[in-house]
Amino acid sequence: LIKMRSIVAVLLALACAVCAQTGGDGQYQLAIAGADIYMSASFGTTWFKSNAPTLPAGDSFWYGYVTTTGSPMFAASLTRAFISINFGLDWLPLESSLFMAASATGQYQIAANRTSDSVDPAPLLVSSDTGATWKQVLPSTLGSFPAGSLSASGQFMTVVTGQHSPGLYYSNNYGQTWYTSQTASDDYQKVAISGIGKYQTAVALYGSVYTSTNYGASFTAANVSTGAWVDVAVSYTGEFQVVVAKENGPLLISKDYGRSWAAPASAPAPGQWWWVAISGSGQYITACAANPGPTVGLYVSTDYGVSWTLLQSGTDFAVVSINQHGQQ
């Protein structure tokens, strides 16, 4: 434990030194395809392969996160977690298999302490020291915790529980105390929180899109069609939001804090959306189109979703993350 704390302290010190070189909102982006990590330092317009760490046979990355300044970054597989302090060029190991989401700087993190697939029951853990130590805050009796999200400061956190015990749980004091926000028959997939924490949106597979305007205390179904919704992204203020669905489902954008939703006139239709990310301002959006859709790759927009460009065509991406700057 002492060794891990010292390692994290050194990494954070180095990351802070690197932060002097940081760029603008949306400049640094991360995308994951199996055991490969791809990086962009140009607002998603060009991509290159990172020096990703070697994973055990059969393992693959399932989550990645870019902090507000672009460094540090985090990536996690089912067996290991890693940190990068040079904008994703190289990676160093952290606690094994402990990472799900983080605050803007990475200080506060949440994770499900699982050793196998994300649908297996596992307790929810919280870290307030960049993953050096962890505290159990919700039991495995609630089921699995496949996804969660934090506000920029880390004060507000919301997690979803999976299909075996569906629900939404939130905390407004840095993960110390948790409350039930909503339970329903929907199979919740993801939740995203605005930088300030007030606006939150969750999506459910073969269900609806749910929005909250009271820091996650309650959610209301949005006026959208039932779909195979799989991911959601929210800008720093919450004004701009994006949801995506698989199985020939749409990409929808809200420009009014989740009140109304529409597909952009030029929105691509790759057949199988899987993940989406948005910058703090909402200007930059990157979405993963995955197999078995007819088109796979990264769809990138640099104009609030008005126009789109397909990049890295043929690569089956499963995760994407963008650094968010906000008005703090």
Side-chain angles (χ1 to χ4, degrees), residues 100 110-113 122-126 135-140 145 159 178:
M100 181 195 297
I110 55 177
N113 189 18
L124 184 73
L125 310 178
V126 169
K135 173 186 177 182
Q136 179 176 323
V137 292
L138 288 175
S140 60
F145 296 96
V159 296
W178 289 82

Side-chain angles (χ1 to χ4, degrees), residues 26-33 36-53 61 64-67 69-75 83-91 286 298 300 311-312 315 317 319-323:
Q27 178 176 353
Y28 295 99
Q29 304 190 19
L30 171 153
I32 287 174
D36 293 323
I37 300 176
Y38 289 76
M39 303 304 309
S40 175
S42 56
F43 302 93
T45 58
T46 58
W47 293 81
F48 62 91
K49 264 190 181 183
S50 171
N51 296 320
F61 292 106
Y65 182 76
V66 183
T67 57
T69 56
S71 181
M73 298 179 180
F74 298 91
I83 185 173
S84 173
I85 60 169
N86 59 358
F87 302 98
L89 295 178
D90 302 286
W91 298 83
T286 299
L298 295 174
V300 176
L311 299 174
Q312 299 294 322
T315 303
F317 290 95
V319 176
V320 65
S321 179
I322 298 178
N323 76 304

Side-chain angles (χ1 to χ4, degrees), residues 58-233:
D59 197 6
S60 62
F61 292 106
W62 69 280
Y63 202 89
Y65 182 76
V66 183
T67 57
T68 186
T69 56
S71 181
M73 298 179 180
F74 298 91
S77 73
L78 284 175
T79 63
R80 301 179 181 184
F82 302 88
I83 185 173
S84 173
I85 60 169
N86 59 358
F87 302 98
L89 295 178
D90 302 286
W91 298 83
L92 295 169
L94 286 176
E95 284 283 339
S96 182
S97 187
L98 293 181
F99 186 76
M100 181 195 297
S103 60
T105 63
Q107 177 183 354
Y108 294 94
Q109 300 182 15
I110 55 177
N113 189 18
R114 64 174 58 91
T115 56
S116 58
D117 191 82
S118 60
V119 300
D120 290 343
L124 184 73
L125 310 178
V126 169
S127 173
S128 59
D129 52 14
T130 319
T133 59
W134 296 85
K135 173 186 177 182
Q136 179 176 323
V137 292
L138 288 175
S140 60
T141 52
L142 292 176
S144 63
F145 296 96
S149 185
L150 285 70
S151 64
S153 67
Q155 179 180 353
F156 301 97
M157 306 177 179
T158 300
V159 296
V160 304
T161 53
Q163 57 184 336
H164 300 300
S165 179
L168 294 165
Y169 296 83
Y170 74 100
S171 172
N172 55 20
N173 59 357
Y174 300 92
Q176 297 305 303
T177 309
W178 289 82
Y179 308 92
T180 302
S181 176
Q182 183 161 324
T183 57
S185 58
D186 277 346
D187 181 6
Y188 295 108
Q189 297 291 296
K190 298 287 182 60
V191 63
I193 299 180
S194 62
I196 56 178
K198 180 178 181 180
Y199 299 98
Q200 304 188 16
T201 298
V203 294
L205 186 64
Y206 309 122
S208 188
V209 173
Y210 295 90
T211 61
S212 173
T213 60
N214 55 5
Y215 300 91
S218 61
F219 284 78
T220 302
N223 186 25
V224 299
S225 300
T226 298
W229 303 107
V230 290
D231 200 23
V232 55

